[in-house]
Amino acid sequence: MRIIFSVIITVACLLYAQDTEVKLFTKLFTSLFNKKIVYVYTENPKYKKLHSIFLKNVDDCNKADIVLGISKACKNKPHFLLDYYEYKRHKNAIGAFYWRKGRPQLRLRKNMILKYKLTITPEFEEFLE
């Protein structure tokens, strides 16, 4: 019985975490691009099917507004990373969202946001570096 309860709790936490990420991506990306619908390219299977009416997955990075994760094929598009260590290595990323010690972390690079001529709303200014 404890095992079943543990599995249910784990699945619920994972679903909540993914829902939180999609809500954050929706709010952040729509404000950065100042668009109602943002086209996202990703090679990460976890994010291939984003469930949001404001984020649309595309299979071709040329049609995308932003790349979620790392893609060597789409070097001229803004990248938003999903890992702290990748964010530190790739200085051309506009930002990153990752989990550290069970807490969500968001970081945005001001110089890269300016390079791509994106806009940042006041609610995200505290995450700029």
Side-chain angles (χ1 to χ4, degrees):
M1 187 65 170
R2 286 184 180 177
I3 294 174
I4 294 172
F5 183 70
S6 296
V7 169
I8 291 172
I9 295 296
T10 303
V11 169
C13 288
L14 290 174
L15 290 175
Y16 173 75
Q18 187 170 12
D19 187 46
T20 302
E21 291 174 358
V22 171
K23 285 180 183 177
L24 173 75
F25 295 156
T26 300
K27 196 169 198 173
L28 178 63
F29 295 164
T30 55
S31 70
L32 280 172
F33 289 93
N34 200 19
K35 294 170 68 176
K36 282 191 174 186
I37 297 176
V38 178
Y39 296 98
V40 179
Y41 175 80
T42 184
E43 296 173 1
N44 188 329
K46 179 180 175 185
Y47 296 101
K48 280 281 190 186
K49 303 232 183 218
L50 291 174
H51 298 290
S52 172
I53 59 172
F54 302 106
L55 299 178
K56 301 291 182 193
N57 278 347
V58 291
D59 294 328
D60 182 15
C61 68
N62 294 324
K63 297 176 184 175
D65 295 315
I66 191 164
V67 176
L68 189 59
I70 293 178
S71 173
K72 293 180 181 175
C74 305
K75 291 186 178 183
N76 60 341
K77 299 284 182 172
H79 283 66
F80 189 81
L81 303 180
L82 303 165
D83 182 65
Y84 173 75
Y85 299 107
E86 289 177 355
Y87 176 70
K88 285 297 192 187
R89 273 194 305 263
H90 299 281
K91 299 297 182 191
N92 59 347
I94 63 167
F97 176 79
Y98 53 92
W99 293 84
R100 178 177 264 172
K101 297 182 182 178
R103 294 187 181 111
Q105 305 288 316
L106 175 65
R107 294 186 176 217
L108 300 170
R109 284 197 180 113
K110 187 175 184 176
N111 62 340
M112 295 310 292
I113 290 172
L114 294 174
K115 175 186 173 187
Y116 288 107
K117 298 180 177 88
L118 303 175
T119 57
I120 192 77
T121 57
E123 65 186 314
F124 292 110
E125 285 181 356
E126 66 183 277
F127 302 106
L128 290 172
E129 44 178 57

